[in-house]
Amino acid sequence: MKTLIISLLSLISFASCHSEPSDTLSLKEAYGDKFLIGVAMNQRQSSGLDRVGAETVSRNFNSIVAENCMKSEKIHPMENLYHFEPADSFVAFGEANGMAVIGHCLIWHSQCPKWFFVDSEGKRVSADELKRRMRDHITTVVSRYKGRVHGWDVVNEAILEDGTYRRSPFYEILGEEFIPLAFQYAHEADPDAELYYNDYNMHLPAKREAVVRLVNSLKERGLRIDAVGMQGHMGMDYPSMDAFERSMLAFASAGVKVMITEWDMSALPTVSRSANISDIQGYKRALDPYPDGLPDSVSDVWNQRMKAFFELFLRHSDIVSRVTVWGVSDGDSWKNDFPIHGRTDYPLLFDRHHEPKPFVIDLCDHKRDDK
Ligand code: G3I
C-alpha cells in the first residue's frame, strides 16, 4: 500500500516536473563546464522506485554519489558477506546516464559494522588483522567497480575540529597509519580511480591545518590523493564564507583539487539545548519551527546565501573539481531527521515537489541569457 501511494505521488509530481518551460537550462547544462555538478542518491532513486527523484537527477546532474549503499555496514555487513545489489544498481544508473560515479566511503568509523574490530571471542583484533580486514574490504569493493567509479572517498571524517585525530577503533588499533594504508589499498585495487579525503567543518582553522598536514604527508610518501572533500553541511549562520574560502585555498595550495561533496544548508535555526529550553517539547518546537512551509523572509535569506556560496565555487572553478549536493529534494534530506527525527527542513536545491529553488532558477536563467 505504502509503495502504491509513493508511486501515485511520484506520477503526480513527475507530471508537474515536466511542465517546466523547455528553454530552462538544467544545472549541468548551465555549469557542467565549470566543475562536476553532483548529487547524493538514495536507494529508492537508484533502484527506480522513486521515478521522479531519478528523473530530477538525470536531468540536472552529471555526477552521483551513493548516500548510503556503499558504506561498510551496508555493503559488507558480516565478515564473509557482501551485499552488492544496491551498489550495483547505483553504479549502473550512473553509467546509463553517462555520469561520473563517486564511491562513498571506504573507511569511516560511523556505519562501520562491529565485526570489523573484534575477533570471534569479542576481543579487539590485532593491528595486523585489522590491516588484513581493511585490505580485504577495500580491495573487494574497489575492484568490483574498477574502471566504473570515477573516484572514492577513501577515508571519511578522521580528524576532529581541534585538529587531532578522532579516537576511532581504526585509530586506536593502527594509529595514524590507517589513513595511508587505506589510500595505498584503494590505489592498488584501481590505479586509475581518483582518491579523496572527505570531512565536515573544514572551515575551522585547526582542522584546515591538520588536513593540509595530512595531504602533505600522503604526498611525501608518494601516495595518490586527488582532492579534499569539504562536505559543506551549512546553516544560516555558519560557516562564514571567508573561512570556507580560506580552507578551499589552503587545500588547493597543498596540491590537490577541492570538492564540495555534501552540500546542503539547513534553513532552520541553530538551537542548542540551553537553560532557556528546559522541556523536551519546547526544544523540539524550536528545532522544527516551519512544518507547514518556509516563510518567504527566511526563504529569501536562504536563497541569497546559497547563491553567494555557489558563486564562490564558480569564482574558484580553477581549483574546484566537483560540487555535490547531499540529496535530491528537501523531502529526501537527512536533515529532516537530525538532530531530531521527523522535522521539516528545506536544505536542498529542489523542493518537496522537485521544483528548483529560486536561486537555482536565477543562476540557470542568468547563464541562458549569456548564451
Ligand atoms: O536502511 C535502514 C532501514 O532499513 C530502517 O528501517 C531505517 C530505520 O531508521 O533505517 C535505515 O537506515 C538509515 C539510513 O540512513 C538509510 O536511510 C539509518 O538509520 C540512518 O542512520 C542513515 O542515515 C545516514 C547517515 O549518513 C548515517 O549513515 C543518512 O541517510 C546520510 O545522509 C548520512 O550521510 C552522512 C555522510 O555519509 C557522511 N557525512 C555526514 C552525512 C550526514 O550525516
Side-chain angles (χ1 to χ4, degrees), residues 67-68 71 74 104-105 108 110-111 156-157 198 200 231 233 262 326 334 341:
E67 185 176 6
N68 285 304
K71 291 172 180 171
K74 301 279 182 198
H104 172 86
C105 46
W108 187 27
S110 184
Q111 306 298 110
N156 198 36
E157 302 174 6
N198 191 49
Y200 60 89
Q231 292 186 1
H233 296 295
E262 302 185 15
W326 201 245
W334 71 291
H341 277 277

Side-chain angles (χ1 to χ4, degrees), residues 235-237 265-270 289-291 293-307 344-347 357-359:
M236 299 286 261
D237 51 1
M265 186 182 292
S266 175
L268 307 186
T270 310
Y290 313 124
L294 198 60
D296 286 348
S297 57
V298 182
S299 170
D300 288 350
V301 176
W302 184 91
N303 275 284
Q304 281 162 25
R305 191 164 150 77
M306 287 294 280
K307 187 172 180 207
T344 307
D345 204 344
Y346 308 84
K357 300 281 178 75
F359 94 95

Side-chain angles (χ1 to χ4, degrees), residues 110-138:
S110 184
Q111 306 298 110
C112 184
K114 290 199 175 49
W115 67 260
F116 229 105
F117 308 108
V118 293
D119 64 18
S120 53
E121 289 162 9
K123 294 201 194 100
R124 276 239 157 141
V125 293
S126 66
D128 279 346
E129 178 59 14
L130 183 56
K131 282 187 207 171
R132 195 192 63 71
R133 291 180 184 192
M134 280 176 56
R135 187 194 278 273
D136 171 69
H137 173 74
I138 292 173

